[in-house]
Amino acid sequence: MLDDSGGPALPFVELKRSYEVNEYDDILGDVLEHVSKRQDRLPDNTLCRSEPENNTIWGDDLFMSTPFLCRMALATGNHKLFDDVAHQVIQFNKYLMNPETGLYFHGYYADRAEPAPFQWGRANGWVTWAMSEVLMLMPKKHKAYKKIMKIYRSHLTALVNYQEENGIWHQILNDPSTYEETSCTAMYTLSMARGLNNGWLDDSFRKNALSGWNAVSNKIGDDGTVSKICRGTGIGTSVEFYNSRKTFDHDPRGLGAVLTAGSEV
């Protein structure tokens, strides 16, 4: 899966891109082969998985693919990879974005043409983090750059509507009865802070980013332990499924987001 390839390969491709370390080229070549050619795709070339059923699009996979492809494009000079990146961002928005809320569904069942009905926090986090990576790395002259920027801004504009007064977001974004969750809050915070740092967002987002970081900071113990990170989560069929997912201290599914959010803030 992309979780096992495009995501974990990011440190190695960053070493190649930024520091000209070439000893991992065989690994990177194999990962690129998987992401570009072996990973399941719909007939329209949108990345998908065969779980929980065939041809399911997962919001998570935008992060597990596009940041890697962007870095490989820059590291190898194969800028055609940016076309696939742009296609994935636009297609994921097409399939997963709920026009009533502006939020992303966790998944989409292409074979029955319907979304998985819940707007899970971390899936939206992976999406906005991925788009911020694309905007940092994709050449601004690319024909899809402005469209991706518009999608990114629209998503964050929708997300601020679901931020609590204490700066946190919930496990299911539009259901305040579900628990407050650290990893998605960190992901939105980093994406907003990055947008402010790069001039992509107007200053009205500053209060949301700082409030988000305050909420994340309150989940960091005196010894540095980060709490209330939701465990790995498949696409669920009920509110209870998401709300009963255990949270773990220092879970890697959110710890990197907290570190990145702190860096951007």
Side-chain angles (χ1 to χ4, degrees):
M1 295 192 299
L2 292 169
D3 306 57
D4 308 315
S5 53
L10 284 172
F12 302 102
V13 69
E14 185 60 22
L15 284 169
K16 180 176 177 62
R17 182 181 81 93
S18 294
Y19 302 100
E20 298 181 2
V21 175
N22 298 316
E23 61 187 278
Y24 305 111
D25 283 2
D26 288 347
I27 296 172
L28 293 173
D30 192 46
V31 172
L32 181 60
E33 181 76 11
H34 177 83
V35 175
S36 295
K37 298 180 180 178
R38 295 199 299 264
Q39 177 68 30
D40 291 343
R41 294 184 182 230
L42 301 181
D44 65 9
N45 214 31
T46 306
L47 289 162
C48 64
R49 303 191 195 188
S50 58
E51 60 168 0
E53 58 188 67
N54 286 336
N55 297 324
T56 301
I57 303 168
W58 289 54
D60 313 41
D61 284 344
L62 197 65
F63 182 86
M64 306 303 167
S65 58
T66 57
F68 171 78
L69 290 172
C70 284
R71 284 173 170 80
M72 284 298 288
L74 295 171
T76 65
N78 180 9
H79 281 205
K80 289 184 179 180
L81 294 173
F82 284 122
D83 294 338
D84 193 20
V85 168
H87 183 75
Q88 299 309 322
V89 173
I90 292 166
Q91 291 297 102
F92 272 58
N93 182 71
K94 169 188 169 183
Y95 284 113
L96 297 179
M97 196 272 289
N98 179 357
E100 294 181 3
T101 63
L103 305 174
Y104 280 62
F105 292 111
H106 191 175
Y108 183 86
Y109 305 116
D111 286 355
R112 45 190 168 109
E114 63 182 55
F118 299 102
Q119 291 152 98
W120 181 43
R122 193 159 64 231
N124 278 261
W126 290 129
V127 167
T128 193
W129 191 354
M131 285 193 282
S132 76
E133 294 278 321
V134 171
L135 292 170
M136 278 200 313
L137 298 168
M138 176 179 280
K140 291 180 175 59
K141 64 182 180 181
H142 191 280
K143 62 183 180 181
Y145 188 89
K146 290 182 179 179
K147 186 169 187 177
I148 293 169
M149 181 71 77
K150 183 177 180 181
I151 293 170
Y152 161 82
R153 288 171 174 160
S154 295
H155 188 210
L156 287 180
T157 298
L159 283 166
V160 300
N161 293 324
Y162 297 90
Q163 186 179 26
E164 293 288 1
E165 288 186 9
N166 66 355
I168 206 84
W169 278 268
H170 290 272
Q171 171 77 331
I172 295 178
L173 292 171
N174 58 336
D175 188 341
S177 72
T178 60
Y179 63 78
E180 297 178 347
E181 204 278 318
T182 303
S183 69
C184 73
T185 300
M187 290 172 175
Y188 310 150
T189 298
L190 79 85
S191 187
M192 287 182 197
R194 183 173 283 173
L196 290 161
N197 290 336
N198 286 279
W200 307 331
L201 300 175
D202 66 60
D203 204 57
S204 66
F205 286 90
R206 184 174 302 276
K207 65 181 185 299
N208 302 100
L210 293 176
S211 180
W213 179 245
N214 183 63
V216 171
S217 298
N218 287 333
K219 304 298 184 184
I220 304 173
D222 292 340
D223 64 351
T225 299
V226 181
S227 63
K228 298 298 182 181
I229 299 172
C230 177
R231 65 173 297 173
T233 299
I235 294 176
T237 58
S238 68
V239 172
E240 292 73 21
F241 169 81
Y242 288 97
N243 204 33
S244 64
R245 299 301 285 171
K246 291 182 179 179
T247 62
F248 295 120
D249 291 348
H250 256 30
D251 191 291
R253 292 161 188 82
L255 186 57
V258 171
L259 292 167
T260 309
S263 299
E264 290 290 350
V265 170

